[in-house]
Every structure is written in structure tokens, then in C-alpha cells.
Amino acid sequence: MKLTDVEIEQLLTVPKTVINPRARKKLQNGSEQTNYDLICENGMSFRLYVRQNTRIPNGFSCGLYYITLAGESITLARYNGSDHAHSNPLEGTAPFFMACHIHRATQRYMEAGRKADHYAETTTRYSDLTGALKEILSDCKIDGLTQVDSPTPPIPIDEPQNKLF
Amino acid sequence: MNATIESLRDNLCAAFCRDVAVVQRASDFAVSLPIVGRDGDHLTAYISDQTAGWRVSDMGATLMRLSYENDLSKLLTGARKKLFLAVLQEAGLTEVDGEIFIEVPADALSKGLFALGQGATRVEDLGLWTRTRVENTFNDDLRSVLLDIVGVDGFIEGYEVPGISSSENYPVDFYVKTPDIPLYVFGVQHRDKARLTTIILQHLSANNQKFNSMVVYSDVDDIPKIDAKRLMNAANDAVASINDSAVIRSKIAHRLTI
């Protein structure tokens, strides 16, 4: 399934409501995981996932995907931590290293046969999972999560993030 | 061509190094590698000192990434679990509580980094093996085995048994033509299909149909015992694994010669 940028924008910004705000957080395979089911007024289904790596403080992610009537899922946006680098091959720009970044689904990458949410841009709008979740809730007009997911432990001060080479 | 082996090697090494970043952390080093996942994210390997060597780890990032769009408790079961374990074993990797790692001698750090990179990208591809795709592969395999045994004219796929009520709701996976009583072959790859096959066989029996039946499992160990037991009572014959093609062949040959 392919989406146009207009459709992606509509899906990203249509108001959505969390239908299981008390979803249980589970610890699985070394990460804390919570999945929220969302619907919008016309009945379309979405899912918001929240992940925190238990070994890497800056290894976190929260993402939104759209679930089609056929059960196919397409990630529309993903707000990642700074534990890894990222490349946008169609732009041909140099990879960016160890910076928080936001993935967005794009028509261009889908048409190129790439994963829908391949494209990403760096951001300084958040530095931990709590901040990332706050931003995705706001950007994607997600309502119904009154209690923000438990905050991420801050990066230990004895853990310098200096790049050596 | 002006390049020499040495200059090409030097260029490649320099280019590779440009794409590698190393960050020191409290107890280890984070190494960003030019090994990229399907979503453009690079692999970060975490290396720490071990006795006479290095421990190279993903710190659980690979499986966490896989969990974004998959329920790992369902994804890493059955055939995919076996594939997951095979990938780890082939790359010399170990998985403990989601962390994938390898321990290498002091002079084999790059080997460890590549082993982790190769293993992590192969594990990521498990997300492409959706249940539907796995089922399709299993059905393709079973069809291929039957083709090999009885030929293209020797069976009918998706057979609706004539003369019974609602036959369209009780299709037979493969009707193998035999000289005497028809042989109905069903492929079973999970609990739901085991239950459905039991229902279909019981429906056919209730409609006074004369037939032999054979169930071919993807892997009988993946089926809950209670469901396998019910199906065993309903079917005449069973083959524990699609990999037992010699057993499938001998059982079908036996029916063909009656």
C-alpha cells in the first residue's frame, strides 16, 4: 500500500483518541513496552507504541502507525532517541550521528520502494522518552493520555557522550 | 584503470573509517557502524573489555526495534523462532534477555563487529516474515511436495466435496486422486488451522463421506497438545513435519497402490 504526502499529512493530523489509556507496560526482551490503541472520529485505527531500552538511557522510541482495514500497518511517525545514527539515502546527505531524530512517512520513500518511515530529521525538541511522547501526542493530535508514560531515567552524569573519532 | 590493489584498499579503509563514529561511555564504547536497517537507522555496537578480548553487544536495540511493529511474543515462535536461533548460531551470536552479543579475542574486534552487524540485519528481516507470508510459504512447500509425488494432474487444490451441505465452507486443501477412496490432505501450521481442519473432517464424516485423510504439520510441536489430539482423532494419518517429505511420499504412495 502506498500513500501520498497529502494522505500522510491527513492521517498524521486527524484528531485521535486513545481507547486504552491504562494499557499495561510490559518488560520484554530488554525494553519497556507500552502499546496504545487509537481511533479517530471516522473509525480509522491507529497504534501508538512507546519503548525504552533498559540498558541504554538514550535508546528510546515512540511511534504512530496506521492500521488499514485489511490489517496492514504503516508507520507514519517515529520519535527516536540519540543512541544511533541515521541516513537518508534519497537526499544523499551525510548520516547524522547520535542525535534525537523524528522519522516521517513520505510518499517519496514509499515510491522508491523504501520503508514508509525511512526519512528522518534531527530534532532538539526532546532529549528523553517523556519529551518524545509529549511531542508526538501534540504533533499527531492524540488525546486521552492524561498520565504521560513513566519518565525515562536521565542519562547518568558519569556517562559522557563525547565523540572520540 | 589507474587503481592498484593497495590504493583501492586504502580508499575503502578511509571511506569506511569516515562512516564509523566512536563514543566513550561510562563502562564501554558505542560504535556507530555504516550498517543500516530498513528504516535508515544505523547499527550501534557497544564494545567492552573482556578477559583477553572484547564483548560486542547491541544492548537489546535489535529486538526493541523489531518490537515497534511486531509482538515479539508472537513473532519469535514456531518457524520464525527457529530461523532466529539459526541466524544467531550462524553468526556466532548469543541472545540473553533481548541483548544480542558476541565475545571475540583481542585481535578479532572487527570480526565481532561484522558478525553483530550481519546478525542484527538478518534478525530485523524476521519482521517481514508475517504470519500470512509464513503460511503462504508453507502452502507452497506442501504443494511442491505433492506435485513431486503425484504430478500436476494428480491432485486438486481447494477442493469442494460434492454432495454435501455448505461444501464451500468446508474446503479440502488438497484432494489427491487415488484409485479407490479419495485422499484429502490438509496442511496445518498453527492452532487455528488445526481446529478448522478438525471441524472440516468432522463435517465430512457427518455427511457420510468415504475418504482417507492426511494431515501434514508445519511442525506438530507448535500445535497445542489438546488441538493436536482432537485432530489426531479426526484424521486417518499425520506427518509431523513438512520437512519429512520422504514420509509424506511413502504414505501417499501407500494410498495410491491400494
Side-chain angles (χ1 to χ4, degrees):
Chain A
M1 182 185 183
K2 288 186 173 63
L3 299 171
T4 65
D5 282 336
V6 173
E7 289 170 329
I8 291 165
E9 186 61 20
Q10 286 171 344
L11 288 167
L12 280 168
T13 55
V14 65
K16 309 161 189 78
T17 304
V18 177
I19 57 176
N20 61 336
R22 300 176 69 86
R24 195 168 57 89
K25 182 192 294 184
K26 65 179 177 182
L27 186 61
Q28 187 182 54
N29 299 107
S31 64
E32 290 179 348
Q33 307 177 5
T34 315
N35 295 321
Y36 297 102
D37 296 318
L38 282 55
I39 54 166
C40 66
E41 214 172 67
N42 66 6
M44 289 192 296
S45 297
F46 300 84
R47 175 164 281 189
L48 172 71
Y49 58 81
V50 182
R51 301 287 185 268
Q52 173 63 56
N53 188 309
T54 56
R55 297 180 179 91
I56 316 169
N58 57 338
F60 60 84
S61 183
C62 51
L64 173 75
Y65 61 82
Y66 165 56
I67 304 168
T68 68
L69 286 175
E72 194 181 346
S73 60
I74 297 174
T75 297
L76 301 169
R78 179 148 50 87
Y79 291 51
N80 274 1
S82 58
D83 62 322
H84 57 269
H86 176 85
S87 289
N88 293 322
L90 296 189
E91 280 65 28
T93 49
F96 47 81
F97 290 101
M98 309 301 198
C100 289
H101 56 276
I102 298 175
H103 289 254
R104 293 263 184 215
T106 58
Q107 181 180 343
R108 192 159 169 253
Y109 273 78
M110 291 177 94
E111 286 175 346
R114 306 266 183 173
K115 202 164 182 290
D117 57 324
H118 195 126
Y119 179 76
E121 289 179 3
T122 58
T123 183
T124 54
R125 290 163 58 199
Y126 60 85
S127 59
D128 60 18
L129 181 60
T130 303
L133 185 58
K134 182 168 168 277
E135 296 301 328
I136 196 172
L137 293 178
S138 168
D139 291 349
C140 300
K141 297 188 167 37
I142 299 168
D143 203 5
L145 256 192
T146 49
Q147 188 91 32
V148 168
D149 206 47
S150 65
T152 315
I155 297 172
I157 51 171
D158 64 343
E159 197 165 275
Q161 302 293 300
N162 54 321
K163 184 177 166 183
L164 294 183
F165 56 85
Chain B
M1 192 166 72
N2 294 325
T4 62
I5 291 173
E6 288 74 23
S7 67
L8 185 58
R9 192 172 182 281
D10 289 348
N11 282 338
L12 284 172
C13 289
F16 184 77
C17 284
R18 271 198 303 274
D19 292 336
V20 174
V22 181
V23 172
Q24 185 168 14
R25 307 193 330 145
S27 57
D28 58 19
F29 294 92
V31 182
S32 176
L33 297 168
I35 296 173
V36 183
R38 292 176 54 232
D39 60 357
D41 285 347
H42 291 223
L43 174 77
T44 302
Y46 297 84
I47 58 174
S48 53
D49 287 328
Q50 293 284 287
T51 309
W54 299 98
R55 187 176 198 272
V56 183
S57 167
D58 78 336
M59 290 288 198
T62 305
L63 289 183
M64 188 178 96
R65 288 159 52 85
L66 201 56
S67 81
Y68 296 163
E69 297 172 11
N70 302 281
D71 181 345
L72 295 186
S73 64
K74 291 178 183 163
L75 184 77
L76 297 181
T77 59
R80 284 176 301 224
K81 174 78 174 184
K82 285 179 185 164
L83 183 57
F84 173 64
L85 295 174
V87 166
L88 296 182
Q89 194 171 23
E90 285 170 15
L93 299 167
T94 302
E95 185 265 325
V96 177
D97 188 29
E99 178 187 17
I100 296 173
F101 64 92
I102 185 171
E103 291 174 351
V104 292
D107 61 353
L109 179 57
S110 61
K111 186 181 163 194
L113 290 170
F114 280 113
L116 181 70
Q118 189 179 19
T121 49
R122 289 184 69 193
V123 167
E124 185 189 15
D125 284 347
L126 287 174
L128 297 171
W129 285 91
T130 61
R131 177 167 151 168
T132 308
R133 283 180 182 149
V134 171
E135 285 178 17
N136 288 343
T137 304
F138 171 73
N139 288 332
D140 290 346
D141 289 348
L142 182 53
R143 186 185 306 109
S144 172
V145 169
L146 293 177
L147 264 174
D148 193 36
I149 298 170
V150 297
V152 68
D153 297 325
F155 69 93
I156 298 172
E157 188 170 357
Y159 182 64
E160 292 179 14
V161 180
I164 65 164
S165 60
S166 308
S167 65
E168 70 277 12
N169 295 331
Y170 300 90
V172 173
D173 288 354
F174 299 96
Y175 159 40
V176 176
K177 299 170 187 173
T178 63
D180 194 11
I181 301 172
L183 172 62
Y184 298 155
V185 177
F186 293 86
V188 173
Q189 55 285 64
H190 50 71
R191 183 190 66 179
D192 292 349
K193 186 63 191 298
R195 291 179 176 178
L196 177 63
T197 304
T198 303
I199 291 168
I200 291 173
L201 289 170
Q202 289 173 341
H203 183 74
L204 295 177
S205 294
N207 278 269
N208 301 313
Q209 291 292 306
K210 285 189 75 179
F211 62 95
N212 283 311
S213 57
M214 189 168 97
V215 169
V216 178
Y217 291 100
S218 173
D219 186 340
V220 71
D221 292 336
D222 293 340
I223 310 298
K225 277 185 183 165
I226 184 70
D227 297 297
K229 195 185 278 185
R230 277 195 291 256
L231 185 52
M232 194 162 59
N233 290 337
N236 296 112
D237 215 342
V239 179
S241 166
I242 183 75
N243 296 325
D244 300 332
S245 56
V247 179
I248 301 171
R249 175 183 289 278
S250 90
K251 284 177 183 281
I252 289 180
H254 174 68
R255 303 290 183 193
L256 290 172
T257 54
I258 286 173

